């Protein structure tokens, strides 16, 4: 990165090369998911062969991204493509399609913050990515990839994600049918901790819904399925009792939530069955979540008092509402990202200011010392101490205001230009630039 | 104490208005700051309201329940206090907007038309008769809040049954929580009104007042029995859903009717002057 601020502006030289669900198909993303060991290889290559001072790899099922700082590369995407080919054996360039995107700062920083906040996720605002970013930093730390700047940058990204979750609605509402089912159940029944769930069907959808209900605190499950074997298989994973479809009328009064997801062409739950169950359960609310197509629950069931029936259309409506709500929150999250970016860049600029202030002071103190040594012989030995104190006092007074202003330079928009001007005016030169670079 | 009264007379509606605005914002946008400073404004308002009524009591020499405007102010305080109790118990802040505008309206009318600095008067009735009136007013407030939650329950019940998952659906607490708020408020009202009825009966015996011919007494006892049944049905018979809510709403309607009948159609010691 080069800025108008001039030669002494700290160079972050931070780039990101990667691919995600928007730029590549699932089979490519799947093929590029890196194990911890492969991430280690990538980080080593970036440090040793590309000269990066710090490197980080985020690899999930929806993205593989390489972040590096200080790398001396004429063509980062070509390097990363070659590296991924070397590790995973997948030729991203030879295929003729452009899957990789490249960001250089400040866009690379903005992109990392967007990723951490879930703005770049397939499901807008999904929370898992924040944990994945954190895990990537931990891994980079273990593998020697991260340093002070990268750690500070990731801290800023994670703080940004936390703010986005607490200050905006980017993570609110269900964004999948299975999760919408849990959301709806909570809306009707309140806490689910003491509720019983009857799963009708033992397929993928029923299993997914069971997982979400377990996460919501449900501890008691029953699984009814045509094939007892499959019911028992699912039952074993969620500590549920397996029953046959014929036993549903017996199990129904004891359930509070019924999740139905069979492939049956005929309704599995009949109105008479539910009417009887409601009598036995003294009319306590009963919720049906019908995730099957065609529907498993007879339409007349929804007319019974205190019986709530919701099908995939209703759940889809909830998901659509949540996504629309989350989209409306994006500008608020972007504002947080900009403010956190500004904060990080300010900190980074301050890295250049501190050595300049030190060099500026040393420059004046050296002149004072030289002059004192040159003229020391003209004064009586008993006056030397007073003379040194006088000169030191004058230097301190002369330097007070400029050093104070310089120390605050990282907080001000023209601060970096001021730092450059001071270095230029007082000849604080190349030898200090090298020291600055070392300090960073 | 006396100089406080005019100041609080104008401050109270302003504070309740602030609370309404904050709770309105919290309802419209969950992430807004309204959810944080609304409860603060409301608690300050209730505290000042207690100070206001106490100052009135000290200045006037009896509990400030001498007029319909006083009754409105005390009911407003009761509504707000019961709402705070429910909010603390259930941790729900998005329903304040359905209760607090009523509190604001009642206090505005009371502040605008009530006598702001009344002169000291001799007590109207013995202290514990006044206590009967005060507990009754607090009970009315609790039943009023219970009725509001009953209506909210029915609205949400209909929305969920009909798969109309609107903004109202998203902003409301779970249906089960609304049902619990409805019953909790009714239970508080039941205790307060029960105490009021007992104190009223005791006073009537001592003062040789004929209660048997007072329609207000009969209607109030009838309402209390109905509301008692609704609360009992919820706790003992496991009634949930609209049936329990309709029972409590029937009790509240009877209670409201007893007030209207007393004030508009008959003259008795229960009629507000």
């Amino acid at each position: 990165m080069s800025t108008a601020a001039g030669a002494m502006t700290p160079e972050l030289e931070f780039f990101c090369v990667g691919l995600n669900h928007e730029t590549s198909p699932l089979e490519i993303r799947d093929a590029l998911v890196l194990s911890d060991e492969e991430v280690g290889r990538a980080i080593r290559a970036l440090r040793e062969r590309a000269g990066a001072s710090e490197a980080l790899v985020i690899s999930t099922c929806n993205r593989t991204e390489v972040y590096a700082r200080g790398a001396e590369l004429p063509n980062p995407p070509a390097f990363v493509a070659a590296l991924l080919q070397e590790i995973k054996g997948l030729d991203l360039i030879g295929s003729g399609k452009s899957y990789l995107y490249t960001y250089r700062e400040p866009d690379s920083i903005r992109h990392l913050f967007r990723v951490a906040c879930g703005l770049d996720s397939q499901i807008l605002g999904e929370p898992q990515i924040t944990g994945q970013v954190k895990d990537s930093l931990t891994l980079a730390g273990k593998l020697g990839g991260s340093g002070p700047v990268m750690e500070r940058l990731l801290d800023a990204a994670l703080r940004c994600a936390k703010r986005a979750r607490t200050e905006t609605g980017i993570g609110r509402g269900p964004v999948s049918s299975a999760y919408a089912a849990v959301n709806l159940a909570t809306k009707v029944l309140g806490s689910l901790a003491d509720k019983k769930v009857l799963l009708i069907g033992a397929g993928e959808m029923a299993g997914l819904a069971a997982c979400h209900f377990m996460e919501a605190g449900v501890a008691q499950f029953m699984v009814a399925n045509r094939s007892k074997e499959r019911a028992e298989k699912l039952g074993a994973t969620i500590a549920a009792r397996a029953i046959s479809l014929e036993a549903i009328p017996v199990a129904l009064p004891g359930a509070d939530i019924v999740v139905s997801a069979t492939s049956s062409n005929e309704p599995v739950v009949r109105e008479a069955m539910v009417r009887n169950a409601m009598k036995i359960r003294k009319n306590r609310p009963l919720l049906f979540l019908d995730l099957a197509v065609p529907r498993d629950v007879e339409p007349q069931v929804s007319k019974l008092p205190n019986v709530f029936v919701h099908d995939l259309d209703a759940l889809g409506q909830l998901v659509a509402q949540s996504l629309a709500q989350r989209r409306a929150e994006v500008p608020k999250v972007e504002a947080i990202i900009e403010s956190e970016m500004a904060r990080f860049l300010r900190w980074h600029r301050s890295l250049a200011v501190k050595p300049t202030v030190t060099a500026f002071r040393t420059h004046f103190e050296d002149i004072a010392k030289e002059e004192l040594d040159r003229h020391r012989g003209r004064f009586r030995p008993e006056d030397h101490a007073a003379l040194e104190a006088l000169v030191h006092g004058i230097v301190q007074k002369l330097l007070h205001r400029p050093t104070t202003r310089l120390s605050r330079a990282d907080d001000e928009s023209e601060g970096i230009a001021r730092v450059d001007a001071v270095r230029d005016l007082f000849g604080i030169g190349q030898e200090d630039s090298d020291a600055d670079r070392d300090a960073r | 104490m006396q100089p406080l009264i005019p100041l609080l007379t104008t401050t109270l509606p302003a504070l309740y208005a602030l609370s309404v605005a904050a709770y309105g914002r919290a309802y419209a946008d969950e992430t807004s700051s309204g959810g944080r400073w609304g409860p603060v404004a409301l608690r300050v308002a209730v505290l000042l309201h207690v100070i206001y009524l106490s100052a009135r009591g000290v200045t006037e020499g009896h509990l400030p329940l001498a007029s319909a405007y006083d009754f409105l102010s005390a009911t407003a305080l009761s509504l707000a206090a019961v709402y705070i109790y429910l909010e603390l118990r259930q941790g729900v802040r998005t329903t304040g907007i359905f209760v607090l505008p009523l509190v604001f309206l009642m206090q505005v009318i009371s502040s605008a038309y009530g006598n702001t600095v009344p002169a000291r008067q001799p007590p109207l009735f013995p202290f514990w008769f006044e206590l009967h009136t005060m507990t009754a007013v607090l009970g009315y407030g609790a039943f009023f809040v219970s009725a509001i939650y009953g209506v909210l329950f029915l609205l949400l019940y209909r929305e969920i049954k009909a798969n109309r998952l609107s903004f109202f659906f998203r902003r409301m607490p779970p249906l089960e929580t609304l049902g619990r708020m409805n019953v909790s408020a009714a239970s508080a009202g039941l205790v307060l009104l029960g105490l009021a009825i007992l104190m009223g009966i005791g006073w009537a015996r001592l003062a040789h007042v004929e209660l048997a011919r007072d329609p207000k007494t009969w209607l109030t006892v009838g309402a209390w029995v109905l509301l008692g049944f609704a609360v009992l049905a919820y706790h003992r018979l496991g009634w949930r859903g609209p049936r329990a809510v309709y029972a409590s709403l029937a009790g509240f309607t009877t209670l409201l009717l007893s007030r209207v009948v007393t004030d508009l159609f008959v003259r008795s010691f229960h009629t507000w002057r």
Side-chain angles (χ1 to χ4, degrees), chain A residues 110-434:
Chain A
R110 187 175 287 113
H111 178 72
L112 175 63
F113 283 25
R114 286 179 67 87
V115 168
C117 292
L119 291 194
D120 202 53
S121 296
Q122 193 163 22
I123 296 169
L124 184 65
E126 55 99 3
Q128 287 84 3
I129 187 66
T130 310
Q132 288 162 338
V133 169
K134 202 173 178 177
D135 292 345
S136 303
L137 175 66
T138 312
L139 187 60
K142 272 189 208 158
L143 301 169
S146 65
V149 176
M150 191 72 93
E151 278 170 16
R152 182 87 177 204
L153 180 62
L154 266 291
D155 270 354
L158 294 173
R159 185 173 54 244
C160 190
K162 192 177 175 189
R163 282 188 61 196
R165 303 231 151 256
T166 52
E167 294 174 27
T168 76
I170 195 69
R172 295 222 171 89
V175 284
S176 71
S177 293
Y179 187 52
V182 176
N183 199 265
L184 204 53
T186 311
K187 203 73 183 182
V188 176
L189 302 168
S191 165
L192 302 181
D194 58 341
K195 303 293 183 286
K196 284 182 192 164
V197 173
L198 168 62
L199 298 163
I200 304 179
E204 196 185 333
M205 195 65 162
L208 191 62
C211 283
H212 283 297
F213 274 108
M214 273 179 90
E215 280 169 16
V218 174
Q220 300 177 74
F221 290 92
M222 289 178 283
V223 186
N225 195 48
R226 201 169 298 285
S227 148
K228 194 89 183 277
E229 195 189 346
R230 289 192 69 185
E232 279 166 356
K233 196 177 164 195
L234 176 61
T237 62
I238 53 171
R241 188 159 58 92
I243 57 171
S244 66
L245 286 184
E246 289 69 36
I248 291 175
V250 183
L252 208 49
D256 300 295
I257 302 158
V258 180
V259 181
S260 193
T262 75
S263 50
S264 166
N265 288 324
E266 291 291 314
V268 179
V269 178
R270 303 275 181 188
E271 194 249 11
M273 196 191 284
V274 181
R275 191 184 287 278
N276 282 340
M278 289 305 281
K279 271 185 201 157
I280 298 169
R281 54 190 283 112
K282 292 183 180 168
N283 220 34
R284 278 185 295 119
L286 180 57
L287 176 68
F288 285 92
L289 298 160
D290 190 347
L291 310 181
V293 180
R295 286 179 293 177
D296 281 340
V297 182
E298 220 172 35
Q300 294 92 309
V301 171
S302 65
K303 302 226 165 32
L304 296 171
N306 259 7
V307 176
F308 303 88
V309 182
H310 298 283
D311 56 19
L312 277 173
D313 279 352
L315 299 176
Q317 195 187 330
L318 265 183
V319 171
Q321 281 175 356
S322 295
L323 284 173
Q325 249 181 304
R326 287 185 181 201
R327 274 194 290 273
E329 295 294 298
V330 169
K332 285 188 200 168
V333 178
E334 282 172 339
I336 291 172
I337 288 174
E338 292 306 315
S339 84
E340 288 296 336
M341 262 183 76
R343 192 173 159 183
F344 170 76
L345 290 172
R346 212 159 47 227
W347 169 81
H348 190 254
R349 279 200 298 268
S350 77
L351 293 180
V353 172
K354 280 169 193 155
T356 301
V357 171
T358 311
F360 184 53
R361 273 191 174 280
T362 311
H363 175 75
F364 274 76
E365 280 162 3
D366 286 351
I367 292 172
K369 193 168 176 291
E370 268 173 34
E371 291 305 303
L372 263 175
D373 289 346
R374 205 149 62 94
H375 298 287
R376 202 178 291 273
R378 295 166 57 188
F379 297 91
R380 289 179 302 173
E382 58 267 34
D383 292 335
H384 285 182
L387 186 66
E388 277 175 23
L390 173 74
V391 170
H392 181 72
I394 292 171
V395 170
Q396 290 306 313
K397 284 205 167 164
L398 284 171
L399 289 180
H400 177 71
R401 187 177 159 82
T403 51
T404 310
R405 294 294 302 269
L406 270 180
S407 298
R408 286 204 301 256
D410 57 301
D411 285 334
E412 296 164 17
S413 57
E414 292 173 3
I416 294 300
R418 195 182 298 149
V419 170
D420 287 343
V422 165
R423 299 185 79 94
D424 186 37
L425 279 173
F426 294 97
I428 300 170
Q430 190 56 45
E431 67 282 7
D432 298 320
S433 317
D434 297 341

Side-chain angles (χ1 to χ4, degrees), chain B residues 43-267:
Chain B
R43 280 155 183 72
V44 172
V46 166
L47 185 71
L48 290 180
H49 205 150
V50 172
I51 294 171
Y52 166 75
L53 291 181
S54 307
R56 288 271 313 274
V58 169
T59 308
E60 294 169 35
H62 56 80
L63 287 178
L65 287 168
S67 71
Y69 301 117
D70 291 349
F71 175 79
L72 275 180
S73 184
T75 309
L77 173 64
S78 170
L79 249 70
V82 172
Y83 170 74
I84 289 173
Y85 163 73
L86 291 177
E87 186 184 279
L88 284 172
R89 256 190 89 156
Q90 306 295 339
V92 174
R93 287 181 176 173
T94 49
T95 55
I97 191 62
F98 297 97
V99 180
L100 299 177
L102 276 168
V103 175
F104 167 69
L105 200 68
M106 286 176 178
Q107 190 52 45
V108 162
I109 295 170
S110 176
S111 287
Y113 299 106
N115 191 359
T116 54
V117 191
R120 189 173 177 85
Q121 295 161 356
L124 298 172
F125 294 102
F127 176 71
W128 65 285
F129 178 80
E130 289 183 344
L131 211 59
H132 150 79
T133 316
M134 186 52 96
T135 46
V137 169
L138 291 173
Y140 288 145
F143 286 128
F144 210 144
V145 174
S146 166
I148 291 169
Y149 282 105
V151 172
L152 289 178
F153 178 96
L154 292 176
L155 290 173
L156 186 61
Y157 177 86
R158 286 167 67 110
E159 285 229 340
I160 297 176
K161 282 284 275 183
N163 271 329
R164 274 196 311 269
L165 310 177
S166 66
F167 183 76
F168 176 75
F169 164 83
R170 292 201 302 275
R171 309 306 289 134
M172 281 295 103
L175 197 60
E176 197 269 340
T177 305
L178 281 178
R180 213 160 348 109
M181 289 169 107
N182 166 257
V183 169
S184 294
S187 304
L190 208 63
V191 172
L192 290 163
L193 192 64
L195 283 173
I197 290 170
L198 286 177
M199 281 191 274
I201 292 169
W203 172 80
R205 281 190 162 219
L206 289 174
H208 306 290
V209 172
E210 183 61 60
L211 285 180
R213 292 185 183 185
D214 179 37
K216 160 87 177 160
T217 304
W218 285 112
L219 281 168
T220 304
V221 171
W224 190 86
V225 170
L226 261 172
L227 286 157
F229 172 72
V231 171
L232 195 76
Y234 182 90
H235 288 298
R236 294 280 166 206
L237 306 177
W239 276 25
R240 293 292 184 274
R243 196 160 50 160
V245 172
Y246 282 130
S248 76
L249 283 177
F252 179 71
T253 311
T254 313
L255 202 64
L256 217 58
L257 198 68
S258 76
R259 190 72 265 161
V260 172
V261 166
T262 315
D263 285 348
L264 299 181
F265 303 111
V266 296
R267 297 291 299 173

